[in-house]
Amino acid sequence: GPTSNFSNTGFAQDTFEGTTNLNWVLGNHTLSFGANFDFTQLNILNRANQVASVAFTSLGNFLTQGGPVRTGGHTVFFQGASNRYYRAPQVSAYAQDHWRVTNKLNVTAGVRYDNDGGLYEKFGNLVNFDPTKYSYSAATDTITNAGLIVAGNNKLYHTPGASNSTLKQGQWGIAHRVGVAYGVTPNLVV
């Protein structure tokens, strides 16, 4: 077959999600509350590192003499883990009040929190580049720091202080919401 094939690779993706909402009518107010949890996993399954490749000078020689087998990069057996198990957690929550002030005027106010936990790899097989860590010595013409950040959950080579996703800051935020609706006429609302 071709020198590169994808017969020994694949992926499996799962998403687990839990969501809840609660609406409570209290006089002229409709209070709404909700929360969401989402966890996605993407497993890249690469079995190509378990497939050997043997090269020989001719089929006849290989069958009758057991060789000679070519060397110098032609005969290979890949080693090392090449599977990846990516994870991405997300959490959010909100609270909102829809207030009917008059028959013509409605006011909505609320707040929302979102936290995108940052993509990480289950076994710490993530590397990122931090340009502030990169350094080069012109005097010796060498790179003194490559600027690579290895995920904090890598058991052997983690960068001290690095997070599992290699991100420096969290991906979260709090947002407010304010809305006003006024009925100018029965057919026109601003």
Side-chain angles (χ1 to χ4, degrees):
T3 57
S4 174
N5 68 58
F6 298 98
S7 61
N8 294 306
T9 61
F11 69 92
Q13 183 171 356
D14 302 307
T15 300
F16 305 97
E17 184 172 355
T19 301
T20 186
N21 293 294
L22 171 69
N23 293 315
W24 183 19
V25 178
L26 188 63
N28 290 344
H29 295 269
T30 301
L31 305 174
S32 300
F33 305 94
N36 182 65
F37 173 76
D38 187 286
F39 185 80
T40 300
Q41 35 181 52
L42 174 61
N43 299 326
I44 307 296
L45 308 172
N46 184 0
R47 305 286 188 240
N49 64 340
Q50 299 172 1
V51 178
S53 170
V54 178
F56 41 86
T57 55
S58 76
L59 182 59
N61 286 344
F62 181 73
L63 293 174
T64 59
Q65 302 171 11
V69 174
R70 286 189 186 175
T71 58
H74 298 289
T75 300
V76 293
F77 184 78
F78 298 108
Q79 294 181 353
S82 56
N83 297 339
R84 294 294 179 262
Y85 303 93
Y86 298 109
R87 307 291 185 256
Q90 297 175 321
V91 176
S92 62
Y94 76 93
Q96 177 176 289
D97 180 14
H98 180 96
W99 178 27
R100 185 173 179 154
V101 181
T102 69
N103 286 341
K104 292 187 173 190
L105 179 65
N106 290 288
V107 176
T108 303
V111 65
R112 180 178 184 88
Y113 169 79
D114 286 294
N115 186 336
D116 293 329
L119 177 76
Y120 67 94
E121 203 278 334
K122 183 178 176 180
F123 298 107
N125 294 318
L126 276 183
V127 177
N128 212 334
F129 176 71
D130 184 353
T132 63
K133 304 267 188 218
Y134 177 83
S135 60
Y136 168 78
S137 171
T140 59
D141 191 30
T142 56
I143 296 171
T144 56
N145 189 332
L148 298 178
I149 306 296
V150 179
N153 61 336
N154 186 300
K155 292 182 181 179
L156 298 176
Y157 306 108
H158 69 276
T159 301
S163 68
N164 292 353
S165 68
T166 71
L167 295 173
K168 289 183 177 182
Q169 300 173 350
Q171 300 179 113
W172 64 274
I174 297 175
H176 61 278
R177 176 183 177 183
V178 177
V180 177
Y182 182 74
V184 180
T185 68
N187 295 325
L188 177 63
V189 176
V190 176

